């Protein structure tokens, strides 16, 4: 596969506002006339703009973007703007602000956002990754999770590594109140570990895999069951007002999934280029820690994982009460697009 030079579009607040104010045009074949002055008049699509994220922790987003799968389907009638998410917390911020219509998060982060009032829907499961672990330096005297009591750990709040840390502490009998959590973005957490500012880091791939290869950092604690899947989320407004374009997005993801499973080396090369990491590190992430063949329809498997995370969110003060978590979990999944895409 020839890897094209990535196109980065800066999504400004003005663009986000324009997207939110766009009126819904007439979808071809529905028989209703477009409003006068509607920018989608004469177009078969319900909007003329799609704002969507890509992330190094979401390999399928890299394939969709690199191969122009969405642009090929929408044509010139819809401008597709790509915004990079540095973590689930950043994707959630962009979704809440309307800067993106579709964003990539971990399942735990999507639940947290919806439980706290963010109007998002999960429309696809892009992976079942082992992307989180607790990491220590090569000469660390921390040899178990129990040793973290009284120590400092870097983690990005609102992301899977943060919830992974809380679950790991609980599973090993450590009170989270006894651990100093330094809220640092993922890359900054690695830096803090390497310069000795923290005793451990709850890491995220591909940064975590690079830390192993480049700094000799070690994975102190791994547990794939504490990782909460990769969720593709859309704003409720986008799903309701632009279902035709939402379907194009999910169709593109499922096309990318099929291609990625047949071409793991090319996906690894793409990740290496976008993330700026060694190809062997990227191969570790894609071929050893990413299950792209997961059932893409959000359902019982994801709910079972999130039901374990929910009480932790409440106990830690991230969500005011369990009822908000339960309501969010009951309303988070929207399976219509991925069910159609996989028929």
């Amino acid at each position: 596969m020839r890897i094209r030079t990535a196109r980065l579009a800066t999504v400004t607040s003005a663009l986000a506002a324009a997207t939110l104010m766009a009126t819904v045009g007439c979808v071809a074949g529905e028989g209703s006339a477009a409003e006068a002055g509607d920018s989608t008049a004469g177009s078969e699509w319900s909007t003329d703009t799609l704002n969507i994220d890509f992330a190094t922790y979401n390999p399928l987003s890299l394939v969709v973007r690199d191969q122009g799968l969405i642009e090929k389907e929408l044509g010139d009638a819809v401008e597709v703007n790509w915004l990079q998410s540095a973590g689930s917390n950043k994707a959630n911020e962009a979704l809440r602000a309307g800067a993106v219509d579709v964003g990539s998060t971990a399942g735990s982060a999507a639940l947290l956002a919806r439980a706290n009032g963010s109007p998002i829907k999960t429309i696809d499961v892009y992976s079942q990754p082992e992307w989180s672990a607790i990491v220590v330096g090569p000469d660390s005297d921390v040899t178990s999770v129990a040793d973290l009591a009284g120590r400092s750990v870097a983690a990005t709040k609102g992301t899977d590594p943060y919830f992974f840390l809380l679950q790991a502490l609980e599973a090993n009998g450590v009170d989270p109140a006894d651990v100093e959590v330094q809220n640092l973005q993922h890359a900054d957490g690695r830096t803090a570990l390497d310069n000795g500012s923290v005793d451990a880091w709850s890491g995220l791939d591909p940064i975590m895999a690079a830390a192993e290869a480049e700094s000799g950092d070690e994975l102190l604690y791994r547990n794939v069951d504490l990782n909460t899947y990769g969720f593709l989320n859309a704003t409720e407004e986008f799903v309701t007002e632009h279902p035709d374009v939402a379907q194009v997005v999910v169709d593109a993801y499922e096309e990318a999934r099929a291609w990625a499973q047949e071409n793991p080396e090319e996906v690894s090369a793409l990740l290496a280029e976008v993330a700026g990491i060694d190809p062997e590190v990227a191969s570790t992430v894609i071929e050893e820690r990413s299950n792209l063949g997961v059932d893409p329809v959000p359902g019982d498997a994801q709910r079972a994982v999130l039901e374990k995370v929910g009480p932790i969110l409440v106990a830690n003060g991230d969500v005011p009460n369990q009822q908000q978590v339960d309501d969010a979990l009951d309303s988070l999944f929207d399976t219509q697009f991925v069910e159609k895409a996989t028929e």
Side-chain angles (χ1 to χ4, degrees), residues 17-332:
T19 302
L20 292 173
M21 292 166 57
T23 53
V24 180
C26 171
V27 178
E30 291 183 346
S32 59
E35 295 288 340
D38 187 349
S39 61
T40 62
S43 170
E44 64 178 307
W45 305 108
S46 63
T47 181
D48 61 1
T49 306
L50 168 64
N51 300 319
I52 184 170
D53 84 341
F54 70 99
T56 56
Y57 55 84
N58 177 359
L60 294 187
S61 72
L62 306 184
V63 176
V64 171
R65 175 172 170 264
D66 183 68
Q67 296 186 3
L69 300 180
I70 293 174
E71 290 87 344
K72 289 176 184 177
E73 182 65 22
L74 295 177
D76 295 335
V78 180
E79 179 181 2
V80 180
N81 300 298
W82 291 92
L83 176 70
Q84 184 168 9
S85 291
S88 294
N89 60 322
K90 297 300 183 182
N92 273 333
E93 288 172 9
L95 284 162
R96 183 182 287 273
V100 296
D101 305 303
V102 182
S104 317
T105 74
S108 56
L111 177 62
L112 173 66
R114 183 153 185 102
N116 283 323
S118 183
I120 61 171
K121 290 284 191 177
T122 298
I123 58 175
D124 189 278
V125 176
Y126 58 80
S127 70
Q128 182 187 22
E130 186 189 5
W131 54 17
S132 301
I134 297 177
V135 189
V136 295
D139 301 318
S140 176
D141 62 350
V142 177
T143 61
S144 70
V145 174
D147 290 342
L148 293 177
R151 306 291 188 108
S152 59
V153 182
T156 309
K157 290 190 175 182
T159 71
D160 231 24
Y162 172 65
F163 300 117
F164 181 93
L165 172 63
L166 295 181
Q167 292 179 85
L169 294 175
E170 181 182 63
N172 288 273
V174 179
D175 187 340
D178 293 335
V179 177
E180 178 191 353
V181 178
Q182 293 196 20
N183 184 22
L184 299 172
Q185 201 62 43
H186 302 297
D188 296 330
R190 177 195 169 178
T191 299
L193 177 64
D194 287 347
N195 67 25
S197 298
V198 295
D199 298 297
W201 165 51
S202 196
L204 178 72
D205 273 336
I207 303 170
M208 183 170 69
E212 290 179 87
E214 297 166 1
S215 304
D217 292 339
E218 300 175 357
L219 305 188
L220 172 72
Y221 182 79
R222 300 172 67 174
N223 188 335
V224 67
D225 292 335
L226 303 188
N227 294 265
T228 63
Y229 293 85
F231 281 18
L232 187 69
N233 308 304
T235 64
E236 285 188 343
E237 180 180 17
F238 178 70
V239 168
T240 301
E241 297 188 2
H242 311 298
D244 54 338
V245 180
Q247 188 66 61
V248 169
V249 171
V250 176
D251 288 348
Y253 259 78
E254 293 316 304
E255 182 179 347
R257 187 190 309 278
W259 184 88
Q261 291 180 81
E262 294 294 326
N263 299 276
E265 293 181 359
E266 287 86 345
V267 179
S268 296
L270 180 58
L271 174 61
E273 181 187 45
V274 177
I277 57 178
D278 187 273
E280 291 188 7
V281 173
S283 294
T284 297
V285 174
I286 297 301
E287 299 183 37
E288 298 180 21
R289 299 179 184 170
S290 299
N291 176 15
L292 300 179
V294 67
D295 184 350
V297 181
D300 292 343
Q302 291 73 37
R303 185 182 181 99
V305 172
L306 295 182
E307 284 177 342
K308 297 176 182 177
V309 174
I312 297 175
L313 300 181
V314 177
N316 201 53
D318 296 302
V319 179
N321 57 69
Q322 185 62 41
Q323 187 61 53
Q324 286 182 223
V325 172
D326 294 342
D327 291 345
L329 193 51
D330 287 340
S331 59
L332 180 59

